[in-house]
Amino acid sequence: MKSDLFSSEHMAEQATAPGMTLQNAKSIKYAVNGEMHARQGSMVAFRGDLQFERKGQGIGGLLKRAVTGEGLPLMAVRGRGEAWFAHEAANCFIVEMEQGDVLTINGRNVLCFDATISYEIKTVKGAGMTGGGLFNSVFTGYGKLGLMCEGHPIVIPVTPQQPVCVDTDAVVGWSAQLNTSLHRSQSVGSMIRGGSGEAVQLRLEGQGFVIVRPSELKPEKATAH
């Protein structure tokens, strides 16, 4: 049987070492030798001796998720084998964290990560009661973190001389050492006349970077059309 479908571009090769790699732009392959964590329901295929178990968040995590709506529905993947993860054909990226790195990520953009990385739901300081930017997941530890994004993300450097303001529905994550606050970019007069649709943003100051996706639509709204 002959087809471009069977080219090396699409063919899954046997892993030569444990850990996370990009299978292609839309999926992540993980060679499991022990344990790793992934978003519930994100496994699209696997081979080998693997078990998938729902991972609890503890009483504190469950309470935060109930109150904030932010959280990661995780599963632990244990054993030896290979698994592939994807979510609604979103673009996938791998971030390699070193000891001491701290990264703030929106829970909706997390696909999978090494068991050596931990996360906690935390309040975004200075963000006030905004619709999507009040709580985020803060990742610490070392290892690889698999992220996903609708479309191609934009990574914007933040410097003390150039703070950056981002829409809370578009932000994927940022360097945890950045200072956050609310920024109002719309005048009272404009609000009275109906508004520009860009009234309040999350302002980031300091030294680091912020990641945004090329859409302000929330995933559930985007799929509803």
Side-chain angles (χ1 to χ4, degrees):
M1 189 176 294
K2 295 182 179 180
S3 170
D4 291 342
L5 177 65
F6 303 114
S7 68
S8 59
E9 177 186 358
H10 306 297
M11 191 65 67
E13 302 293 342
Q14 193 76 34
T16 57
M20 183 188 307
T21 55
L22 279 179
Q23 174 65 42
N24 53 43
K26 307 289 186 180
S27 63
I28 286 177
K29 175 183 177 179
Y30 201 110
V32 186
N33 184 18
E35 180 176 338
M36 57 85 63
H37 300 148
R39 173 180 295 275
Q40 288 178 19
S42 64
M43 184 273 292
V44 295
F46 79 93
R47 59 188 177 191
D49 183 17
L50 295 177
Q51 294 80 43
F52 300 82
E53 298 178 8
R54 179 170 181 162
K55 182 174 173 58
Q57 301 184 60
I59 298 299
L62 289 173
L63 288 174
K64 284 184 179 180
R65 187 175 179 191
V67 172
T68 67
E70 169 69 16
L72 287 177
L74 292 175
M75 60 183 178
V77 183
R78 300 185 180 96
R80 295 189 66 179
E82 297 172 314
W84 287 263
F85 301 96
H87 182 71
E88 296 181 354
N91 290 318
C92 296
F93 305 88
I94 296 176
V95 176
E96 189 159 356
M97 297 183 64
E98 298 178 348
Q99 196 71 54
D101 289 344
V102 185
L103 187 60
T104 296
I105 296 290
N106 193 308
R108 69 190 173 199
N109 295 104
V110 176
L111 184 61
C112 56
F113 53 94
D114 290 343
T116 50
I117 295 177
S118 59
Y119 89 100
E120 183 181 359
I121 302 170
K122 289 190 176 181
T123 304
V124 177
K125 293 181 180 179
M129 294 303 293
T130 62
L134 182 58
F135 297 90
N136 256 14
S137 299
V138 179
F139 287 84
T140 56
Y142 65 93
K144 291 183 178 180
L145 171 64
L147 303 179
M148 57 186 178
C149 176
E150 302 85 357
H152 295 287
I154 307 163
V155 180
I156 307 172
V158 181
T159 67
Q161 296 76 30
Q162 288 187 309
V164 177
C165 296
V166 296
D167 188 288
T168 56
D169 287 335
V171 66
V172 172
W174 62 87
S175 308
Q177 71 268 21
L178 293 175
N179 296 316
T180 54
S181 61
L182 281 186
H183 175 74
R184 298 187 182 278
S185 59
Q186 185 169 292
S187 67
V188 174
S190 176
M191 293 176 68
I192 293 174
R193 290 190 296 272
S196 64
E198 305 291 350
V200 180
Q201 298 84 37
L202 185 67
R203 179 182 174 94
L204 301 119
E205 300 177 274
Q207 189 74 45
F209 61 87
V210 59
I211 309 165
V212 295
R213 60 195 181 103
S215 172
E216 293 181 350
L217 287 176
K218 295 180 180 179
E220 60 267 25
K221 291 183 180 179
T223 56
H225 292 289

